[in-house]
Amino acid sequence: MKIGDLAKRSGLAASAIRFYESSGLLPPASRGPNGYRVYDEASVQRLLLIQTAQGLGFSLESLRSLIPAQGEGLPHDQILQSMQARLAEIDAMQAVLTAQRLELESLMRDLHAEWQAGRCLQIASAVAPPDPVAGATRRVRQRGR
């Protein structure tokens, strides 16, 4: 199939297909007598795999090491290890987001309380400096009331 047909089947732009080919994620297409690229069904499957992996947050660089050259089997252990590492990244991101949510909720409560009392919240007293050890951007201080 020509690149336009592959683009329709994969949902990608022809330029993206050429990019994946030039970056080594998609094996080079054979060329027809007219010089046009000719792709096979395996190219459709590989592009769908790339799209799925990117949708799950895998970088193109990590895909280069995971997706084998044409004709080679997928390295199962390496794929599972990469998936486990991605899950760990997601868990870490969720922990950061949870901490940020708690900080934001606390700050909102403090703002509301101060505004109800007719005062402006003093940010210096409400927010602690960044904690490089914990990796948090800020920690809302617990203030005694």
Side-chain angles (χ1 to χ4, degrees):
M1 77 187 84
K2 292 181 185 170
I3 197 166
D5 298 325
L6 181 59
K8 286 179 190 167
R9 298 238 352 243
S10 66
L12 291 168
S15 60
I17 294 169
R18 286 189 291 272
F19 169 77
Y20 289 142
E21 189 176 339
S22 68
S23 66
L25 287 167
L26 184 66
S30 59
R31 297 283 181 160
N34 56 7
Y36 291 169
R37 291 176 167 94
V38 178
Y39 297 93
D40 57 11
E41 185 62 29
S43 297
V44 176
Q45 295 305 311
R46 185 174 284 240
L47 288 173
L48 293 175
L49 174 66
I50 291 167
Q51 286 179 290
T52 299
Q54 281 192 292
L56 293 171
F58 287 90
S59 69
L60 292 180
E61 190 58 41
S62 67
L63 291 178
R64 280 188 193 87
S65 66
L66 282 178
I67 298 178
Q70 192 169 358
E72 294 179 22
L74 294 174
H76 296 165
D77 289 343
Q78 189 177 358
I79 290 171
L80 290 174
Q81 287 173 357
S82 293
M83 291 175 133
Q84 192 62 45
R86 180 67 187 133
L87 283 173
E89 289 173 3
I90 291 169
D91 289 343
M93 285 189 282
Q94 284 180 323
V96 167
L97 289 172
T98 298
Q100 289 176 347
R101 180 181 186 86
L102 292 172
E103 288 178 25
L104 188 56
E105 288 172 344
S106 178
L107 185 57
M108 288 173 62
R109 282 190 302 273
D110 287 350
L111 280 170
H112 183 70
E114 290 295 306
W115 291 341
Q116 288 292 94
R119 297 184 300 260
C120 287
L121 180 70
Q122 298 298 313
I123 294 296
S125 66
V127 179
D131 183 351
V133 175
T137 54
R138 294 183 208 175
R139 294 277 181 220
V140 175
R141 291 185 183 150
Q142 296 299 321
R143 295 190 326 210
R145 291 204 188 274

